[in-house]
Amino acid sequence: MVSVLSEDDNIIKNINPARISMKMWKGQGSGNRIPTDVTAFSCSKVKDDKEDGFFYFRDKVIPERVGAYSIQFTFAMDKTNMLISEQIVVEVVPNDPVRLLPDSLPATPTVSNVRTITSRTLVKDLCLHIMDEYNNHTGADLVGRIIAKIKSPNEDDTEIPQFQGKISTIEFPFDRGSAEINLVLAENSPGRDSTEYILVFEPDLPALKKPLEPYRLSFMFYNDFKKQQQMATLTRERDKLSQSIGVYRNWFDTTNQLVNEMRCQVKEAETRETHLKNELRKHQIELPETNILQYVDSLIKQKMLDRDGVMKQPRRTCTLPNYPKGNQDVLGKIAHLAQIEDNEAAKVISWHLASDMDCVVTLTTEAARSIFDETQGRQQVLPLDSIYKKTLPDWNRPLPHLRNGKICFRPVGNPVFARDLLTFPDNVEHCQTVFGMLLGDTIIIDNLDAANHYRKEVVKITHCPTLLTREGDRIRSNGKFGGLQNKAPPMDKLRGMVFGAPVPKLYSAFTGQIDLLQQYRAAVVKLDDVNKDLDLHLRSLNTPEILQKKQELAEQERSLKLIEHKLGMTPSDKVSESLLQPAILDMPDTPIPPKRMRKETVKKLYRRMGCLCC
């Protein structure tokens, strides 16, 4: 939650949310300087009008890589000057463990069961780590073991190689999130010549509720040393091809994901444009099929002129000087806290509250006492913290002639609670307290005859509150009426102590139409932009360079199948997951995000494609 304070520490309201932003970058900045390469976030939509002056940053996704990050909030005062907050440093820590991986992918081992130990070495100084879903090291507090065993891709194969010492499994200690592995085959180990086997490393970590998937590493087994040496070259070539194919496939997968994401953006933009067009139709605004932007711009200009014309029309105002609001605990004089649209109702209510109109309302008794002292007791004050609120009327209470959802009698004269005719520009909750106490259940009705009829019927069933008529008469709650003290004078006799009129409804109507038109214009521009981006990207996928990439991928896949056939490995249409791990470690897969993250996702996919090309 962010707010902008003035020099006197008051919260500044009516700030355009687009001028408030959050910057985030990796590392800690020096002083208050913001680096150039930062991620910027806009503030979230305000959920409640009561939060005017506060800007919220909700649902912002943290970075995927662990480390220290700096966050700073900025307020653009104008095109050149910017107000910045202090930097907040946050530490992004790893997520829950999900996989077991090595620091770097080892080459496919090629071994034989001869006497020479180097020819029997499966892995040397292989360091396995626990990673989270974003390939950050995690599990530093975990203790357990890694169980290594050998399996055959063919479940019916019973001739399985053994480790040194003629054993089928070996355990390695796992501590502080990693384990160091060294494995050697037994001399004269069983196994089928020119056959692919799989090393399986199963983590056994009692502290984890959900077991991790084991890490698997394929290797080639030979009974002949010379054949092993010959095939080692082919194995290295296979590893190189597999990694190259993995990069190509990652690139094409990312490309397809980017196309899908851009199509989602187009679909959303079309939906938004259609929705806003239908909203404009509800306001009797029809749009042409061509030259839409020019038409919308001219219409916005005309609506703004019409709105300005409405504001220039004469409107009832309160001429009573308000009390200076230097203290945030001072709400102002009662005459300035509410507005009333109807002239007759404004006159009679203002007269009814004439003795209170000049009273200054404060939030605290301390603020009220300060005003009292400053004016030497000449200024009326009303502190809200001294009001007994349990006796205040319920603003949702029905009129007295309505009981338990039933009409007790048919009233005449259009009765309505006086409080329901008030509108409050600011501090709605506090104003409801003030006028709830001052007006209570006072009712406005058309004329004296209607008021007398209403009171006569109400007192048969319940207490009748004070009645004010639009013609200026008053029947007190005790039934007394008549005399100069119960008759409102003409408006000009109130000497400006009258509630002002709110902004005309026509002004609000024009403002709403202008806002819709501006939103629609932005939606049209957005739709055009995303369509152009999609079209440009689709055309870029049919360039000679991309077609050459596809051809290179197909050739490498054919070469891989031939090599695997020579090695005696079972050819597969899919590159082994372990062979794709280098690309995944550098560039974790990015799932399709929710709508609020789409823009950032497209940028991330573009960067990822650039990395893959390199």
Side-chain angles (χ1 to χ4, degrees):
M1 184 176 72
V2 179
S3 58
V4 180
L5 300 182
S6 62
E7 291 181 351
D8 54 4
D9 286 339
N10 288 325
I11 295 174
I12 300 176
K13 300 182 180 181
N14 302 320
I15 291 177
N16 184 354
R19 296 167 68 184
I20 306 285
S21 62
M22 182 179 90
K23 315 284 187 182
M24 181 167 62
W25 65 92
K26 190 165 187 178
Q28 300 184 27
S30 55
N32 280 330
R33 294 176 58 187
I34 301 177
T36 53
D37 185 20
V38 300
T39 303
F41 299 92
S42 57
C43 63
S44 306
K45 187 176 180 181
V46 177
K47 294 181 178 179
D48 195 332
D49 291 339
K50 294 179 183 177
E51 299 176 304
D52 187 24
F54 294 95
F55 302 90
Y56 291 84
F57 290 82
R58 301 182 176 99
D59 305 322
K60 306 305 178 188
V61 179
I62 64 169
E64 295 177 354
R65 308 303 298 174
V66 299
Y69 289 82
S70 295
I71 293 175
Q72 196 161 32
F73 298 93
T74 64
F75 167 54
M77 293 185 285
D78 50 45
K79 292 183 179 179
T80 56
N81 297 309
M82 183 176 292
L83 190 67
I84 57 178
S85 71
E86 293 182 0
Q87 290 178 4
I88 303 168
V89 178
V90 296
E91 188 73 23
V92 177
V93 297
N95 214 325
D96 295 332
V98 295
R99 59 173 69 98
L100 188 68
L101 287 176
D103 270 332
S104 58
L105 186 70
T108 302
T110 304
V111 294
S112 63
N113 56 1
V114 295
R115 177 175 296 180
T116 308
I117 194 168
T118 54
S119 298
R120 291 186 282 116
T121 300
L122 287 162
V123 291
K124 185 177 181 181
D125 299 331
L126 176 67
C127 203
L128 293 177
H129 303 279
I130 286 186
M131 307 284 196
D132 66 7
E133 60 182 307
Y134 303 108
N135 294 309
N136 295 301
H137 286 236
T138 186
D141 57 336
L142 295 176
V143 176
R145 58 181 182 165
I146 301 294
I147 303 171
K149 61 180 70 173
I150 298 174
K151 290 186 177 181
S152 172
N154 182 4
E155 295 182 358
D156 297 330
D157 192 353
T158 57
E159 194 172 349
I160 305 296
Q162 294 178 319
F163 297 118
Q164 193 168 22
K166 297 289 185 179
I167 55 177
S168 300
T169 62
I170 299 181
E171 296 181 4
F172 296 92
F174 184 90
D175 187 34
R176 296 184 180 179
S178 62
E180 190 170 317
I181 311 291
N182 289 286
L183 284 174
V184 178
L185 275 186
E187 186 178 344
N188 297 319
S189 167
R192 296 182 185 277
D193 185 41
S194 303
T195 301
E196 177 188 16
Y197 291 97
I198 301 171
L199 273 174
V200 180
F201 301 93
E202 294 183 350
D204 180 20
L205 305 170
L208 282 183
K209 294 180 180 179
K210 184 179 179 181
L212 301 182
E213 284 291 319
Y215 172 67
R216 293 176 173 86
L217 177 64
S218 296
F219 70 92
M220 294 301 299
F221 176 85
Y222 299 95
N223 283 324
D224 187 293
F225 174 73
K226 289 184 178 179
K227 191 173 182 181
Q228 175 207 358
Q229 296 299 310
Q230 292 170 356
M231 293 301 176
T233 303
L234 280 177
T235 302
R236 286 192 293 272
E237 189 174 346
R238 172 188 177 268
D239 289 346
K240 186 178 179 181
L241 275 174
S242 296
Q243 292 190 17
S244 177
I245 289 171
V247 172
Y248 270 116
R249 287 187 177 177
N250 265 284
W251 191 90
F252 284 115
D253 288 346
T254 304
T255 299
N256 292 334
Q257 188 179 354
L258 179 58
V259 170
N260 291 335
E261 185 58 39
M262 295 175 87
R263 282 178 174 151
C264 285
Q265 287 190 336
V266 170
K267 184 68 176 176
E268 287 175 359
E270 287 174 345
T271 303
R272 174 74 173 164
E273 188 267 348
T274 302
H275 168 72
L276 290 171
K277 184 183 287 186
N278 291 334
E279 289 297 312
L280 288 170
R281 284 188 181 134
K282 293 178 183 178
H283 289 79
Q284 287 77 48
I285 297 177
E286 293 292 337
L287 299 168
E289 294 295 327
T290 58
N291 299 323
I292 295 176
L293 290 180
Q294 294 89 329
Y295 179 81
V296 170
D297 286 339
S298 64
L299 197 54
I300 290 174
K301 186 177 180 181
Q302 182 58 48
K303 295 286 183 184
M304 285 182 170
L305 290 174
D306 294 340
R307 184 180 64 179
D308 293 342
V310 170
M311 283 301 291
K312 290 176 182 178
Q313 293 176 0
R315 190 166 88 246
R316 174 176 17 92
T317 58
C318 177
T319 59
L320 183 70
N322 202 355
Y323 193 83
K325 294 184 182 179
N327 188 335
Q328 61 184 0
D329 287 335
V330 177
L331 298 185
K333 292 186 177 180
I334 287 175
H336 291 275
L337 297 183
Q339 297 172 336
I340 301 175
E341 183 177 6
D342 179 70
N343 282 329
E344 298 304 324
K347 180 189 75 171
V348 71
I349 294 174
S350 300
W351 163 75
H352 180 63
L353 298 178
S355 61
D356 300 310
M357 296 288 273
D358 187 51
C359 180
V360 176
V361 179
T362 65
L363 297 180
T364 63
T365 302
E366 290 76 12
R369 180 71 195 192
S370 176
I371 295 173
F372 178 86
D373 292 340
E374 287 174 7
T375 61
Q376 298 177 350
R378 291 190 296 269
Q379 176 63 59
Q380 290 187 90
V381 287
L382 173 61
L384 291 185
D385 62 358
S386 67
I387 295 176
Y388 185 65
K389 297 182 180 179
K390 288 188 177 180
T391 58
L392 294 176
D394 179 6
W395 281 63
N396 297 317
R397 183 189 302 171
L399 287 163
H401 68 275
L402 301 171
R403 296 179 68 83
N404 300 321
K406 296 181 180 179
I407 300 176
C408 298
F409 65 92
R410 292 286 177 184
V412 294
N414 305 305
V416 62
F417 282 125
R419 60 176 179 256
D420 291 338
L421 299 177
L422 305 176
T423 57
F424 306 116
D426 297 299
N427 305 302
V428 175
E429 195 171 324
H430 294 317
C431 289
Q432 285 182 342
T433 300
V434 172
F435 288 95
M437 181 193 66
L438 295 176
L439 288 174
D441 289 328
T442 300
I443 294 173
I444 297 288
I445 200 164
D446 284 350
N447 52 53
L448 189 59
D449 290 339
N452 277 316
H453 174 266
Y454 191 81
R455 178 177 176 82
K456 183 180 176 181
E457 295 297 327
V458 166
V459 294
K460 294 177 182 178
I461 53 176
T462 187
H463 168 75
C464 183
T466 297
L467 302 177
L468 301 176
T469 75
R470 292 179 174 86
E471 294 180 349
D473 295 292
R474 175 171 59 195
I475 302 179
R476 296 183 183 272
S477 58
N478 59 12
K480 184 171 60 175
F481 65 95
L484 291 177
Q485 63 269 39
N486 288 315
K487 182 67 175 181
M491 184 81 77
D492 56 359
K493 299 293 184 182
L494 295 176
R495 295 173 299 169
M497 287 201 304
V498 62
F499 291 109
V503 175
K505 292 181 180 178
L506 191 57
Y507 178 89
S508 300
F510 281 134
T511 300
Q513 291 174 5
I514 291 168
D515 182 56
L516 269 178
L517 286 166
Q518 289 173 337
Q519 289 184 52
Y520 180 74
R521 189 190 191 286
V524 171
V525 172
K526 173 72 173 177
L527 179 57
D528 184 59
D529 288 345
V530 294
N531 269 318
K532 285 179 179 177
D533 288 344
L534 176 60
D535 183 62
L536 183 65
H537 187 68
L538 290 175
R539 281 191 277 115
S540 72
L541 297 180
N542 291 316
T543 59
E545 291 83 359
I546 301 300
L547 296 177
Q548 184 181 352
K549 286 181 185 290
K550 292 180 180 179
Q551 184 177 352
E552 289 171 357
L553 174 60
E555 290 174 355
Q556 289 187 8
E557 287 177 332
R558 284 194 294 270
S559 299
L560 179 64
K561 286 185 179 181
L562 288 173
I563 291 175
E564 288 179 335
H565 180 71
K566 290 179 182 179
L567 289 170
M569 300 176 71
T570 305
S572 60
D573 293 331
K574 184 178 180 181
V575 177
S576 171
E577 182 182 346
S578 64
L579 293 172
L580 291 177
Q581 288 298 341
I584 293 176
L585 283 171
D586 291 334
M587 293 159 296
D589 287 335
T590 308
I592 296 294
K595 179 179 178 181
R596 65 175 183 273
M597 297 159 54
R598 289 249 161 92
K599 198 171 184 180
E600 288 80 4
T601 301
V602 170
K603 292 179 182 177
K604 186 185 291 184
L605 289 171
Y606 269 123
R607 288 197 298 270
R608 182 178 176 190
M609 288 172 63
C611 292
L612 285 164
C613 287
C614 295

